[in-house]
Amino acid sequence: MFGRRKKKEAEDDRPGFFEDAETDAEAGDADADYEDAVTEVDGGPYDADDLESGADLTVGEVGTRLDLGSVLVPMPQGAQLQVEMAPDGSPQAVHLVTQHGRITVAAYAAPKSPGQWREVAGDLAESLRNDNATVSVESGPWGREVFAVTPNADLRFIGVDGYRWMVRCVVAGPSGGNTADSELVATARAILRDTVVKRGNEPNPVRTPLPVVLPEALAQQLAAAHQQQLAQQQGAAPQQPAPAGPQGEQQAPPAEAPAQPQQRRGESGSAMQQLGR
């Protein structure tokens, strides 16, 4: 649907973009003997600068993309939204909740050359093992995927390196429902193939999450819910109490009011504590 704009020129300006900058061992990967087997992926994630000038980025290949500022993520049919909020009421993560499980796509600042996902995957694997999860590294369309079995859910981390950005997709599903051939993982990969990243020109330290910006209507709905929560905390009875969502997160399905926000943990937590980031 979208043509590439000056793709060859952009690649020529990125020295070493498709070359390995360092070995797995240098990257501190807990699975240093794993070799990435990257296949030719038909689709994205796309860099917004590589798409046709003037194109409507919210029009995806199979439906509408939700514009979250730094990323535009396609909405699967029947999916609902959960929004994680900071203590000041600003959004920090948006989850897509499907009938098979939860999918979270986020973008991060990265160097011009690839390799950040390899390092992040190694850190995730080590942290998950420290949390007593059973961890393996599997091969997916974009290379390595970190798969972990925990007491509460099966988790899969999919990463893709771009030019000055990295996308990470966290897939959480019930035990046995997050295998490579599952409907949940197929949905997550389809979402990634049609995701668009708007990196911007701001200088950001590597691994810094790129900002999440909600659509105006959703932002107003969640701001009202945040004010309602503050009123509750101050002892004022709200006129219309909002229903509690799963895990305390704010839900934003089309026909439901948002629930109370879940405040996120800090950067220093373990991988289990940082799954929503």
Side-chain angles (χ1 to χ4, degrees):
M1 179 174 182
F2 292 109
R4 294 284 180 169
R5 177 167 58 87
K6 300 182 181 178
K7 178 176 176 61
K8 181 62 170 64
E9 177 183 336
E11 290 174 3
D12 291 342
D13 290 340
R14 305 173 191 179
F17 183 66
F18 294 106
E19 300 173 3
D20 286 335
E22 55 189 346
T23 65
D24 289 327
E26 290 170 341
D29 193 336
D31 295 273
D33 57 347
Y34 177 87
E35 294 294 336
D36 284 317
V38 182
T39 60
E40 185 67 25
V41 178
D42 183 16
Y46 301 102
D47 190 313
D49 290 338
D50 289 340
L51 302 179
E52 290 180 354
S53 179
D56 184 354
L57 301 183
T58 64
V59 179
E61 297 179 0
V62 294
T64 301
R65 295 189 183 106
L66 180 66
D67 189 346
L68 299 175
S70 53
V71 290
L72 290 90
V73 183
M75 283 289 295
Q77 185 175 6
Q80 295 183 345
L81 297 179
Q82 289 178 347
V83 182
E84 288 196 20
M85 310 295 286
D88 63 359
S90 63
Q92 291 193 350
V94 177
H95 309 291
L96 306 180
V97 181
T98 74
Q99 61 177 326
H100 302 293
R102 193 173 82 170
I103 300 168
T104 309
V105 178
Y108 297 79
K112 294 180 179 180
S113 58
Q116 179 159 300
W117 169 241
R118 181 172 56 228
E119 298 178 9
V120 171
D123 292 345
L124 279 169
E126 181 179 2
S127 185
L128 286 161
R129 287 177 179 132
N130 290 339
D131 287 328
N132 298 317
T134 301
V135 181
S136 61
V137 178
E138 301 179 0
S139 180
W142 295 274
R144 67 186 59 203
E145 298 178 359
V146 178
F147 178 66
V149 177
T150 76
N152 297 321
D154 286 359
L155 306 170
R156 183 176 298 269
F157 299 83
I158 307 172
V160 185
D161 287 316
Y163 179 64
R164 298 181 65 233
W165 53 260
M166 182 200 79
V167 165
R168 188 185 74 175
C169 178
V170 183
V171 189
S175 178
N178 204 343
T179 58
D181 59 351
S182 66
E183 289 290 334
L184 176 60
V185 173
T187 300
R189 290 172 177 169
I191 287 172
L192 276 179
R193 288 189 184 97
D194 199 26
T195 290
V196 175
V197 180
K198 292 192 294 185
R199 166 62 175 81
N201 297 319
E202 298 81 5
N204 292 305
V206 297
R207 299 198 185 193
T208 300
L210 298 181
V212 175
V213 180
L214 299 179
E216 184 63 25
L218 181 59
Q220 291 177 358
Q221 185 184 27
L222 296 182
H226 180 65
Q227 292 301 318
Q228 186 179 77
Q229 183 193 30
L230 293 179
Q232 287 177 320
Q233 292 174 346
Q234 295 169 1
Q239 295 180 352
Q240 295 180 346
Q247 301 179 354
E249 293 161 346
Q250 287 204 356
Q251 296 188 54
E256 296 184 22
Q260 300 301 322
Q262 175 183 7
Q263 297 184 1
R264 301 164 62 89
R265 295 182 173 90
E267 290 284 331
S268 61
S270 67
M272 295 291 286
Q273 293 173 319
Q274 301 178 39
L275 295 183
R277 296 194 300 108

